């Protein structure tokens, strides 16, 4: 599944960006929420998600790159998120937060930054719906993919098969025409692309 990131869209025309996603193979809308604390930048919040919700039937995956994500899930669920993905590094009680997201009727995702190994997720993999592998350090669009992170994708796919889990493996960061095949070959189910998608450099129809 292609999940274009709104962070790289024209922020003055996010409604138009949704149309671009729908007409160019997007199956999920990836919405990066940044608080200026967990990552350096500040992006947008619940009002933006709520205002965009009537204009697309695609699932909204809200990626919470924020400290204390447990304080945000109810309001983003109410705003129209379908998937809520938070960072392992930002949450002490991940299992509790996954349960809360599920209780809200949403799918729960967990993400790891490049310096966090897959082994850190061992106790939570049986409960989540999605694992997001960051292949750049989060906070800015247009970065180059860190090649050593790609092996995390294949590691997660192996664990999923061995344990009989059913989470999706998503990848985010530096995915473009040159790197797309490497993450697909590693087994990624969801491909997040921002800059390459919205500049037209990622020709999804070729894959």
């Amino acid at each position: 599944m292609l999940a274009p990131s709104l962070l790289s869209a024209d922020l003055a025309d996010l409604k138009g960006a949704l149309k671009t996603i729908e007409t160019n193979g997007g199956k999920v809308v990836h919405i990066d929420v940044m608080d200026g604390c967990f990552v350096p930048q500040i992006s947008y919040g619940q009002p933006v998600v709520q205002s965009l919700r009537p204009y697309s039937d695609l699932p909204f995956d809200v990626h919470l790159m924020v400290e204390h994500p447990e304080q945000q899930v109810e309001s983003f669920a109410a705003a129209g998120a379908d998937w809520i993905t938070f960072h392992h590094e930002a949450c002490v009680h991940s299992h509790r937060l996954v349960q809360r997201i599920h209780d809200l009727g949403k799918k729960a995702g967990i993400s790891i930054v490049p310096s966090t190994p897959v082994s850190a997720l061992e106790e939570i993999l049986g409960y989540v719906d999605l694992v997001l592998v960051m292949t750049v350090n989060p906070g800015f669009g247009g970065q180059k993919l860190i090649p050593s992170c790609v092996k995390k994708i294949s590691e997660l796919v192996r664990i999923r098969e061995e344990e009989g889990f059913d989470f999706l493996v998503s990848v985010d960061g530096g995915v473009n025409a040159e790197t797309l095949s490497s993450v697909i070959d590693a087994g990624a189910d969801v491909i997040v692309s921002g800059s390459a998608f919205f500049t037209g450099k990622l020709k999804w129809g070729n894959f």
Side-chain angles (χ1 to χ4, degrees):
M1 289 184 285
L2 175 61
S5 172
L6 284 183
L7 188 63
S8 296
D10 179 356
L11 298 184
D13 185 21
L14 290 179
K15 181 180 174 182
L18 289 179
K19 182 66 68 175
T20 299
I21 290 171
E22 291 180 345
T23 57
N24 288 276
K27 300 301 182 186
V28 177
V29 179
H30 188 85
I31 302 176
D32 289 305
V33 175
M34 305 188 295
D35 65 352
C37 295
F38 184 73
V39 294
Q41 297 272 52
I42 297 173
S43 58
Y44 32 60
Q46 295 90 335
V48 170
V49 175
Q50 185 174 14
S51 66
L52 291 176
R53 183 68 278 179
Y55 297 105
S56 178
D57 293 327
L58 293 178
F60 283 6
D61 178 15
V62 172
H63 177 194
L64 295 178
M65 292 185 279
V66 304
E67 294 185 354
H68 308 295
E70 65 278 1
Q71 298 175 4
Q72 306 296 333
V73 296
E74 281 88 355
S75 56
F76 275 105
D82 299 288
W83 304 356
I84 300 177
T85 299
F86 64 93
H87 270 267
H88 162 78
E89 301 85 2
C91 185
V92 174
H93 302 290
S94 294
H95 182 270
R96 179 185 298 164
L97 186 52
V98 168
Q99 287 183 314
R100 187 184 305 178
I101 294 169
H102 284 159
D103 287 345
L104 292 166
K106 310 299 181 180
K107 293 185 181 296
I110 194 163
S111 182
I112 51 175
V113 302
S115 60
T116 299
V118 169
S119 59
L121 300 178
E122 180 179 356
E123 297 300 326
I124 199 69
L125 290 178
Y127 302 96
V128 296
D129 303 293
L130 177 141
V131 179
L132 175 59
V133 176
M134 294 298 301
T135 45
V136 299
N137 288 296
F140 301 93
Q143 298 183 67
K144 291 185 177 180
L145 179 144
I146 301 171
S148 60
C149 294
V150 175
K151 65 182 180 182
K152 295 182 185 180
I153 300 170
S154 53
E155 185 176 355
L156 284 163
V157 171
R158 176 186 58 79
I159 294 171
R160 179 176 64 187
E161 183 176 342
E162 291 177 354
E163 299 295 333
F165 297 147
D166 60 359
F167 58 81
L168 297 173
V169 180
S170 181
V171 58
D172 183 4
V175 179
N176 54 39
E178 289 73 38
T179 59
L180 178 60
S181 60
S182 67
V183 298
I184 289 179
D185 290 346
D189 305 296
V190 181
I191 309 295
V192 178
S193 180
S195 301
F197 175 82
F198 282 104
T199 59
K201 294 178 181 179
L202 181 65
K203 302 298 183 182
W204 185 253
N206 294 336
F207 293 86

